[in-house]
């Protein structure tokens, strides 16, 4: 990358981040995206010199947890600067404008840049009582979502509420909450980043992929990027050797718990949950739930609040050693798809996957169904 062409390197320098750190960030993004390490240079060039995409971020029935995750950095990081390359035209929580000014910013973006901006949606969308359970500026969330997502180049549903309905849609679902994909049936280029909340590293990697490849990554059957959801938690878990050896925690604080043994008997849903938590981790890769001694509760899966509860009861039909070979087979299949996709598109091309089947109860893992 020519030094004089990079505004980004100047910005990094201004914020005290070295070129070495930036290249390290690009290598990390390549790793998360399951691209060869040689892709780091192309990523660096693309994010430093590409056009500035427009992004609008809408919050509906949510707890703001995904926004918190988005902002989680405790110090300026390369990721923050990368996200600054996106022109965030509307974000209720972050923008200085309020009221009519804020609504005008959103309307101008939708009317002035049809098919050019990316819509990020946080929270589920209530459909009961004609959408009366969530209104902003006199419009229902349902109406806003259809207007904004309908004209977007792509829509990214962040968090399990936006991706699958989440906790607001748990039985008995009094507001008629639905996922973005159900509220806006003709939405274009929908990408679900499920989890409660979504991991900031994954939205960063998704946007870096878009800036670099100029297309969206291969998706799974729930429209989640394979680079982040192509494997079960169980496949990469640091406690997996204990699972295979039959060494389980039986009680909180027992010797097996203190020695870091497997949490399956304490209700871990890692064998039925797909996400890259063991690899990417949380809080700037400090640790992750299982690393802290708590079972995975399956937050990235559709209907997890109904299908993965009680959280501290073990999954049925996962009797121990037998599950390993079965899950390995599934995991290897998913990994092969990711690897094949990476090889095929390299950094400039993309393999188009079959996507689009909506989640249904029959597709769900056999969690502790009530
Ligand atoms: S059951 Fe949970 S704690 Fe045990 S190996 Fe699998 S993911 Fe890790
Ligand atoms: S470990 Fe499981 S419950 Fe925890 S964030 Fe990851 S997917 Fe969600």
């Amino acid at each position: 990358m020519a030094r004089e062409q990079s505004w980004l390197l100047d910005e990094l320098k201004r914020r005290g981040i070295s070129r070495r750190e930036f290249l390290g960030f690009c290598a990390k993004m390549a790793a998360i995206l399951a691209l060869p390490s040689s892709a780091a240079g192309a990523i660096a060039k693309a994010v430093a010199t590409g056009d500035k995409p427009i992004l609008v971020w809408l919050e509906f029935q949510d707890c703001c947890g995904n926004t918190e995750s988005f902002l989680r950095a405790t110090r300026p990081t390369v990721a923050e600067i990368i996200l600054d390359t996106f022109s965030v035209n509307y974000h209720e929580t972050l923008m200085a404008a309020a009221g009519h000014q804020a609504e005008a910013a959103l309307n101008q973006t939708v009317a002035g840049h049809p098919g050019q901006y990316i819509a990020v949606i946080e929270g589920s969308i209530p459909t009961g009582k004609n959408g009366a359970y969530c209104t902003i500026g006199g419009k229902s969330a349902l109406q806003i979502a259809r207007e904004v997502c309908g004209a977007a180049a792509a829509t990214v549903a962040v968090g399990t509420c936006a991706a699958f309905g989440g906790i607001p849609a748990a039985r008995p679902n009094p507001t008629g909450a639905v996922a973005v994909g159900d509220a806006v049936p003709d939405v274009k280029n929908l990408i679900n980043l499920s989890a409660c909340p979504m991991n900031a590293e994954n939205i960063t990697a998704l946007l870096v992929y878009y800036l670099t490849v100029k297309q969206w990554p291969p998706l799974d059957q729930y429209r989640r990027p394979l680079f982040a959801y192509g494997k079960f938690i169980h496949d990469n878990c640091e406690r997996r050797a204990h699972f295979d050896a039959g060494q389980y925690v039986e009680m909180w604080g027992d010797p097996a718990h203190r020695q870091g043994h497997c949490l399956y008997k304490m209700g871990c849903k890692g064998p039925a949950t797909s996400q890259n938590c063991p690899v990417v981790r949380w809080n700037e890769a400090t640790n992750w739930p299982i690393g802290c001694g708590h079972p995975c509760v399956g937050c990235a899966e559709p209907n997890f609040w109904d299908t993965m509860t009680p959280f501290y009861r073990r999954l049925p039909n996962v009797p121990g050693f037998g599950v390993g070979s079965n899950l390995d087979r599934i995991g290897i299949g998913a990994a092969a798809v990711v690897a094949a996709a990476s090889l095929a598109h390299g950094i400039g091309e993309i393999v188009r996957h079959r996507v689009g089947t909506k989640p249904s109860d029959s597709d769900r893992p056999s969690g502790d169904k009530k």
Side-chain angles (χ1 to χ4, degrees):
M1 178 174 33
R3 172 68 182 83
E4 63 277 7
Q5 291 176 352
S6 178
W7 65 269
L8 180 65
L9 290 180
D10 290 338
E11 183 64 17
L12 292 169
K13 188 176 177 187
R14 194 178 68 78
R15 299 200 197 189
I17 296 172
S18 69
R19 190 171 191 279
R20 180 186 289 269
E21 282 180 275
F22 172 58
L23 293 176
F25 164 83
C26 295
K28 178 180 163 190
M29 287 294 115
I32 294 175
L33 291 166
L35 295 171
S37 57
S38 57
I43 289 173
K45 184 174 180 185
V47 297
T49 60
D51 293 338
K52 192 168 185 145
I54 301 167
L55 190 144
V56 297
W57 186 303
L58 304 177
E59 291 182 60
F60 297 131
Q61 280 194 143
D62 74 320
C63 66
C64 208
N66 297 282
T67 292
E68 291 292 337
S69 185
F70 183 65
L71 300 172
R72 92 291 179 231
T74 53
R75 63 181 178 83
T77 63
V78 178
E80 277 188 321
I81 297 168
I82 298 304
L83 294 172
D84 279 352
T85 69
F86 281 76
S87 175
V88 182
N89 283 14
Y90 183 92
H91 190 308
E92 284 170 13
T93 308
L94 304 183
M95 65 196 305
H100 295 301
Q101 264 187 332
E103 298 315 310
L106 178 61
N107 293 338
Q108 283 164 13
T109 300
V110 173
H113 304 278
Q116 295 170 5
Y117 62 88
I118 298 165
V120 178
I121 308 293
E122 178 174 6
S124 64
I125 299 171
T127 59
K129 306 283 186 200
N130 287 325
Y133 291 108
C134 181
T135 64
I136 302 164
K139 288 182 182 177
S140 71
L142 186 61
Q143 188 180 354
I144 296 169
R146 287 181 174 166
E147 288 175 6
V148 175
C149 300
T155 294
V156 183
V158 293
T160 294
C161 295
F164 302 133
I167 293 172
R171 292 190 290 260
N173 191 0
T175 67
V178 298
V180 174
D182 293 323
V184 190
D186 57 349
V187 62
K188 290 190 287 290
N189 295 322
L190 174 66
I191 295 156
N192 288 323
L193 288 181
S194 59
C196 191
M198 59 105 198
N199 194 320
E201 303 288 0
N202 286 337
I203 192 168
T204 305
L206 177 72
L207 298 177
V208 163
Y209 185 99
Y210 178 72
L211 287 171
T212 306
V213 182
K214 315 297 183 206
Q215 295 194 56
W216 298 102
L219 307 176
D220 72 3
Q221 63 176 328
Y222 300 118
R223 305 197 68 89
R224 303 179 299 189
L226 282 172
F227 71 77
Y229 301 88
K231 284 197 158 196
F232 287 104
I233 298 280
H234 192 67
D235 292 331
N236 288 318
C237 181
E238 64 213 31
R239 300 183 187 224
R240 176 60 182 269
H242 295 296
F243 176 90
D244 291 339
Q247 296 171 325
Y248 303 112
V249 176
E250 304 278 351
M251 188 186 302
W252 302 119
D254 70 6
H257 196 210
R258 293 199 295 276
Q259 289 166 30
H261 290 181
C262 174
L263 294 159
Y264 161 64
K265 288 189 177 179
M266 303 306 286
C268 184
K269 306 301 188 294
T273 304
S274 301
Q275 204 183 181
N276 54 2
C277 304
V279 178
V280 174
R281 299 177 163 236
W282 292 81
N283 297 327
E284 298 174 31
T286 305
N287 208 334
W288 68 297
I290 290 175
C292 298
H294 192 279
C296 169
V297 299
C299 76
E301 294 302 315
N303 308 323
F304 85 101
W305 198 257
D306 286 327
T307 60
M308 299 291 192
T309 49
F311 289 137
Y312 298 116
R313 185 188 298 166
R314 71 181 186 184
L315 284 164
N317 308 319
V318 187
F321 303 110
V323 68
S325 58
N326 184 37
L327 289 171
D328 278 346
R329 201 173 63 245
I330 298 167
I332 288 168
V337 172
V338 175
S342 297
L343 278 174
H345 61 58
I347 201 69
E349 296 179 46
I350 194 167
V351 173
R352 293 203 173 276
H353 277 247
R354 271 191 67 227
V355 293
T357 54
K358 290 188 191 277
S360 67
D361 280 346
S362 61
D363 291 330
R364 303 309 317 128
S366 57
D368 292 347
K369 288 187 173 135
K370 288 174 182 167

